[in-house]
Amino acid sequence: MSDIGIELDYIMGRYNYWLFCILMMTGLYITVSRGNLIKKIVGLNIFQTAVFMLYISMGKVIGGTAPILTEVPETIYSNPLPHVLILTAIVVGIATTAVALALVVRIRESYGTIEEDEILELEHDMDFGSGAAQGDPVA
Amino acid sequence: MYMFLAITAALFVSVALVLVRLFAGPTLYDRVLAVNTFGTLTVLILSALGFVTERPDFLDIAMLYALVNFVGTIAILKFFRYRSFGRLRPEPEER
Amino acid sequence: MTKALGLLVALFALWLALSGYFKAFLLAVGFLSCLFTVFLARRMKLLDDEAVPLQLRLTLPLYWSWLGGEIFKSAWAVSKIILSRNIALSQQLIAVESPLKTDMGHVIFANSITLTPGTVTVEAAPGKFLVHALTDEAAGAEAFGEMARRVAAVETR
Amino acid sequence: MNNADLILLAIAIPALTPFLLAATGKWPNLRDTVSVIASIATFAAVLPLLLAVIDGARPAISLVEVMPGLVIGFEIEPLGMLFATVASGLWIPTALYSIGYMRGAHEKKQTRFAICFAIAIASAIGIAFSGNLFTLFIFYEVLTISTYPLVAHKETPEAKRGARTYLAILMTTSILFLLVALIWTWNIAGTTEFRAGGILDGRLDPAFAPFLLALFAFGIGKAALMPFHRWLPAAMVAPTPVSALLHAVAVVKAGVFTMLKVGTYIFGIGFLGKTGASDWLVWLAAASILIASIVALTKDDLKARLAYSTVSQLSYITLGMALAVQMGVIGGAMHIATHAMGKIALFMCAGAIYVAAHKTKISQLDGLGRKMPVTFACFTIAALSIIGLPPFAGAWSKWYLMVAAADANQLIIIGVLMVSSLLNVAYLLPIPARAFFLKPKDDETHGDAASSRIEETPLLCLLPICFAALGCIVLFFTIGGLYEYLLSIPIRPESLP
Amino acid sequence: MEHHSILRVVSKLLIPPMLVYALYVQFHGEYSPGGGFQAGVVFAAAFVLYSLVHGIDALTRVAPPRVLHALAGLGVLIFAGTGVVTMALGDAYLGYYALAEHPQHAQEWGIVVVEFGVGMTVASVMLSLFIAFASHTRKLDDKDW
Amino acid sequence: MMALIEANLPALQVVLPLIAAPICAILGRGGRSWAFACIVILATFAISVALFAQTYAGTIISYRMGGWEIPLGIEYRVDRLNAFVLLIISGSATLVLPYARRIVAAEIPAERQPLFYTAFLLCIAGLLGITITGDAFNIFVFLEISSLATYALVASGSWVNKRALTAAYNYLIMGTVGATFFVIGVGMLYMITGTLNLADLAVRIADHGDSSTLRMGFVFILIGIGLKLAMFPLHLWLPNAYAYAPSAVTAFLAATATKAAVYVMLRFMFTVFGFDYEFQADTLRMVVLPLAVIAMFAASIVAIFQDNLKRMLAYSSIAQIGYILLGLTFLTETGLTASIVHLFNHAVTKAALFMVAGCFILSAGTCSISKLGGIGRDMPWTTAAFVAGGFSLIGLPLTVGFISKWYLVLAALELGWWPVALMIMASSLLAVIYVWRVVEVAYLQPAPEGTVRKEAPLSMLIPTWIFVGLSIWFGVNAMLTSTAAGRAASALFDSSHILWKE
Amino acid sequence: MTANLVGIAIIDIVFFTLLVLTAIAILRQRNLFAVAMLSGVFSLLSAGLFVTLDAMDVAFTEAAVGAGISTVLMLGTLALTSRDEAKRPRSALLPLFVCLVAGAALIYGTLDMPPFGAVDNPIQTHVAPEYIARTPTDIGIPNVVAAVLASYRGFDTLGEVVVVFAALVAVLLMLGTSGRRTNGKNGKEE
Amino acid sequence: MDPVLVDLARNIATAIAFIVGGGFILVGSLGLIRLPDVWSRIHAAGIIDTIGAELILIGMMFQTGLTQTTLKLALIGLFLFITGPTATHAVANASFIAGIRPDRLKRNESEAVLGEDTPEEMKA
């Protein structure tokens, strides 16, 4: 009986992390497996968000509350530091997304597609098709 | 307290249903509708959670969401209509 | 100028409602923020009857409470349809004349139509709306007439 | 000017000549004058050093400390002095000869040629004077690289291929083995200095000694020990003065010189003998001697045959070191000088034949001896010297090597040396014999018109040839002095000053 | 969408409160959740709404890109400059205690100023990004390439 | 005033380019912003030199951001190791920027040039920040600053070759995944220690002892940083990014970006986790070592078959990174010294080589090796610089490459790993092949018909030759670099041992 | 305590389930508009999760970013690109393998992690309590997150702002400052 | 008044608001699933957006009494009240313009509203 209790405690102490693992894998899978450039970015966002969740989970204190101090004495507060870190990370994430999207726009303009496979084909043609050497300018 | 938990639960059920519509489509407009509704529900959930955890600060988030969600929805729709945010110029037909 | 002042007051009220702190610093900052917002609003050419609806009569809350009742009723009606075993719809797109004079009135009217479940304003044209109704009942002409009258009572020109 | 400065001067003159050459590149005559003067000046700088070393001086200088404990420095001992003298001394005839050859063969880019040549000489002298293995390695690599453009000089696909092989083998061996050996030595001994009696004794586990020696022996690719000899024949595409440089003056000599240095001053003859670490090398060198000679027999191309001859002769020197007796070192060192004399003459002759008659195959040489008697006379002398017949210089070095083999109780090696001499006879002597005694073939397409225009080599080419051939004879008679001199090579640690 | 009266009116009604809300978030970061970044985003969102209804040209009239870029730089400079000022006053980089006598006021001042810089940068950057994306119209069509 | 500046040197090191960046953007015209950036970089370099001088003797400068006590606030910590890396980064920047003017003018539209220099400054600031900071999360923030700037810089090669865009995109995706992995790793460390300060982390990790969380923290940091530094199977972004970025950017990145990442790795492995962390030692030897060796060979072999000079050099960079990693895996002081000294040496060499490639592009309009025939005659100085740099890449004596190889082989032999030593040498032979391909073409092949090429302008030649000169100077007299690297290594080594041994 | 834990756990799990469902929907969805919308929903859900985990500031940011900026930017990109994702012939086994390995590594890492929400976790005992304890006296503001963000770790925030600025620089460098287009093949605008 | 009684009244009021509002929301979301096309679903969404949301907010307001929180709730309610129908309208409008028409349309007077001078792109 007590064994089961310990097991349950163990699982309760970790299920959050496991859920986050699943989410992270999904995001990573989208990033690496999808050929659409935009979708890769979305996958990346999911991946990053999952990591944010890991941080936030570790900052949580059961029975605690948000780290905005109140008048009530003896309040337990959750850990503010992960929040700060993740705030920064979110901002970094959105900045990266913006840059990535700008790149996608330019890629679409230059290649006419945002599918990785088609782009690879085009690049393959550039390398071996027209006889142009690799170091030549191809605007 | 239990009231809030109950309403939160109801909201969650509702969110789940809305998400089903969002995933299922079939048209984009169904999805936009679902997103918009989802936004409203989120505002409510956030407010309710604020009560559950006894931190009314949550309302700020809810309010932010009420405002920003609107911008998002309008953006999507404007976009569907003009195919760009740019200057109002008809788009050459897509393949 | 009146508009600007009116907007400033309204915004500052909003600030106070949001803030809830009455520290000197925050009040000062709040005032400055509101001033800045008014400045931006001017730049955006927002200072007109639409953005600062000072012209509306104070009967607006009354209208709203009436509208609330209407909403409840029609929501109930739509709910019944949703919950009925066989969903029987008779969808229609109908033209609704709008007797109102100002854009603000139009908008209140149109939004009221949308707010009441069972009808949605689809397209707005000068003096007319295209409304989608879910059922014959919702598309009844007298419902709109009543609403238009009440909106007209709120708007002035 | 003291001796230490002279060391620098001896390296600096050829090292700085390229700048002068580049500056004067537009005026061929001036340029060639510069290069001749430089060669003489270098020799002039080396000579006083030679005298000093004979007197027992050991001039030394260290330049920079590259890494803690790792110094670029020079120190002259008898062996290095010998090599420097040979290299700088032979530069003079080679320089003269190359002027004649290059002009005669209408080669392009003579300035580049002269520049690289000077750098090669500088690095050869650097190798000779190196005070430690590290410095030696540096100049060794410089030599490799500076000779690459020389080998590829003709810029034909064939030349490029040859140059590639040349570079590939030399680089591979030097980086893959020699450098590792160098670092290993440093790791064990904490120094790479050349010291009498070696620096590894007592530090290196004897069980590992053969491996380290193998790294060195194969690492010194310039010594053309089989199986890393392919570069030598491959480099035959180069113009003949380059071949002379490779085979006689600088490159291969640098290789075997390094081999001797390593045996004497890194391992120490005593250590090698004690542990028997070099036994395997004896056999490898012996095999190399025989196989290369046999291969040479099969070659019809004159330069290729000479190249294989060189491979075989170089292994003599390696053998001398590997025998791990003093006489072996002496014999090997002596062979550097004698073989240099002989081989340079042979190559110059080959070049002369090419310039004068545009012939490269041995089978085309029939009857040419009558048209170019001096050239072929010199060829014969040099060939005899290589074979090791008195009264030509080669006889002595072979003799001392046999003595060494006897000292080391390697009787089979004596036999190998004798067989090798016979093979030498077989592949070298037929050449002048054909030239002098056979009638020219008439089936050539150009017929008599072409061959009738053949006449004796230009004077600028002929003079160096005669000089070298003469050298072979002179060296035979002055060998006593050389022997005395070589006895001063310190073998045992006690002989440290 | 100019002709679209409903949207126009609603957006006009909504924009000023949104701006005030953004500024509220900006200056109450010390007391409630929020701060420069969130405020900047909401602030930008209000402008985006304006642009959606009135067109991007109207937006660039109200907020010219050049000004926005300068403001974005200025925000960074305000933040980083605060650090330089504290450094010049003898404290460490971003050591706000040097800013005033009273330590807590000094900190509060520092935080307000710094957050202001953040808000300024974020708002103008987000808006510039929107403008950059929105006004970058398609260059070539598939067939032309 | 001077005292004030001196007291705040560590902060200024990063803040100066950081503040300069927006100003540079506002300045407008290309020339003006370039000049401004040059001045700023020079000042940054001066700061690096001052920091290097201060720490050379062994002092550790600890600077507290905001004046907060150490685990609370962010610490800037300069010791011999990162002072050395700072010097590399700011020094390379100082030389690349003057070089950049001409080629940037040729490769990037005039109106975008101020932004280009702004991104450049940001990139430098980010790299310096990564290097100087003593806080794990701060590393991430600055990593992202530099990465974002780098993506932009790489993508700005698109005016020459549109493939820069996809290259930048791939770099972005992989870089972001890497950064996120890094964040996961840091999060795990944070979770079991409760601190982010590197020095504090080290102490607390040693207290904590081994656990699966710590292990995975290590693995994620390794992979995350590995992506950034193009560790072998994670290198896929690098070749194209280097090949299609504007030449000045490539030169700068090759000299610095991966170096900063390597530094972070060193810092984590040896300061935070410590030499005695068994799992780390095992991972390094079982996984990283084979990968490094494979990188040395595979990348070099691929480099042999490249026609694009920049791409070839990029692959060579991957191989060289293999050397650096190899040095780490020895886990000895000599091995570390080899890695650190190779950081510097490779930076100098690669910068020079990429600069040469830039000169070729400017003058000949191409960097296809097959089209560079006879360029040795038309551009003698540039080509000579290439040859000298190539020698260093091969590791011939009298160049810095030799010094690196020396230490590496020495370290391998010290451990008795002679097969590794032979492999190091064998892989440098591959370098001979790809370098020699270019040499052969440049000198022994006739120029293509109708090409007009003139020697690169002095503003580009001089920085190139300064790099070449450095690579020769420190090859001939490596006392400074090898001593500095040796000291840095021993500092890392000593600090690392104290903790776990109690 | 336990009841609270279970309550949070339930909300957590509900949110997580929804998040995972959304993620899978994104994975399967080919219409990019729908993907954009779904990603907005995803951030919103995660904002909800952050709220339950007491991270209000984070939730605030995530909501603002996810609903506002990121959706708009993504749509702005879609305006210029195609609407649908193409089907991919390539096998997805390798990515799957990579992800599974990464996931397995993570899960292995979680085995020794301090339990979720426990008060005596290292991170709750080392640095963080000092922030909470000292903020009222050091800085005197109630929002500890703001205090840490802007003062204790103000330098991180400076970095964050610079990142945002860098993003602007990057985007402008690529897309142009004024929306004017670079012309044609060479793109030189001189 | 007796504070206990006030509390009870409050709670009852809240409960009623929640039950009704929650009921509407559930029904609305059910409608979102069940109804056949976009047009009908818009109405279901309308239920959630308007009456459901407002009722729940009002229920919350009962709990807080006259405090700042109530003000904020009211503001949220106001915003939702303004934006909700507008967004719904926008959706309807957009789908109308995109040419999506309800199944089995009983009456269509769209021509009467749009008139003859409608720009081409706006006609379906």
Side-chain angles (χ1 to χ4, degrees), chain H residues 68-119:
Chain H
Q68 198 213 351
T69 315
T70 319
L71 270 178
K72 281 190 182 173
L73 282 172
L75 277 172
I76 294 176
L78 186 64
F79 286 145
L80 282 184
F81 194 68
I82 297 174
T83 58
T86 315
T88 315
H89 158 73
V91 174
N93 189 328
S95 50
F96 177 73
I97 285 168
I100 296 173
R101 293 286 175 274
D103 305 346
R104 284 165 298 159
L105 202 56
K106 190 179 171 196
R107 194 151 49 123
N108 188 347
E109 295 173 358
S110 47
E111 288 298 315
V113 177
L114 293 176
E116 301 308 318
D117 54 341
T118 323

Side-chain angles (χ1 to χ4, degrees), chain D residues 66 109 134 145 148 164 167, chain F residues 396 402 436 440 476 478-479:
Chain D
V66 174
K109 294 183 187 137
F134 172 66
I145 289 170
Y148 166 81
R164 248 180 250 159
L167 191 76
Chain F
L396 290 180
F402 178 76
W436 223 262
E440 217 177 78
V476 173
M479 288 302 274

Side-chain angles (χ1 to χ4, degrees), chain F residues 14-67:
Chain F
V14 177
V15 168
L16 192 67
L18 220 53
I19 291 184
I23 298 176
C24 183
I26 295 167
L27 275 177
R29 289 273 131 242
R32 236 185 303 165
S33 44
W34 171 75
F36 179 72
C38 277
I39 294 168
V40 170
I41 290 303
L42 209 61
T44 313
F45 180 59
I47 295 173
S48 301
V49 172
L51 283 174
F52 185 74
Q54 281 183 16
T55 52
Y56 190 70
T59 356
I60 292 173
I61 305 175
S62 167
Y63 184 85
R64 297 183 296 171
M65 279 292 163

Side-chain angles (χ1 to χ4, degrees), chain H residues 20-96:
Chain H
V20 177
F24 271 124
I25 279 185
L26 287 174
V27 170
S29 41
L30 193 67
L32 216 47
I33 301 288
R34 280 197 76 194
L35 291 173
D37 64 356
V38 193
W39 292 92
S40 46
R41 283 178 207 136
I42 285 175
H43 301 282
I47 295 182
I48 301 178
D49 274 354
T50 54
I51 185 121
E54 296 297 338
L55 272 178
I56 289 174
L57 287 173
I58 288 170
M60 289 175 183
M61 279 194 245
F62 283 132
Q63 284 293 303
T64 51
L66 266 179
T67 58
Q68 198 213 351
T69 315
T70 319
L71 270 178
K72 281 190 182 173
L73 282 172
L75 277 172
I76 294 176
L78 186 64
F79 286 145
L80 282 184
F81 194 68
I82 297 174
T83 58
T86 315
T88 315
H89 158 73
V91 174
N93 189 328
S95 50
F96 177 73

Side-chain angles (χ1 to χ4, degrees), chain C residues 31-107:
Chain C
F31 185 69
L32 288 176
S33 302
C34 295
L35 266 183
F36 180 57
T37 308
V38 172
F39 163 74
L40 283 177
R42 254 183 81 101
R43 252 182 97 83
M44 290 178 176
K45 304 201 180 74
L46 291 184
L47 293 178
D48 54 18
D49 284 354
E50 292 167 2
V52 194
L54 292 176
Q55 74 280 14
L56 294 184
R57 290 210 183 120
L58 292 175
T59 49
L60 191 65
L62 276 179
Y63 170 70
W64 277 352
S65 52
W66 173 81
L67 185 63
E70 287 297 304
I71 292 172
F72 188 82
K73 274 189 276 178
S74 50
W76 184 249
V78 176
S79 298
K80 275 197 292 190
I81 296 175
I82 294 172
L83 293 175
S84 62
R85 190 157 299 162
N86 309 317
I87 294 178
L89 301 176
S90 61
Q91 302 193 45
Q92 40 203 299
L93 286 167
I94 50 176
V96 172
E97 294 283 329
S98 163
L100 300 163
K101 293 185 277 297
T102 60
D103 273 1
M104 193 67 196
H106 273 298
V107 171

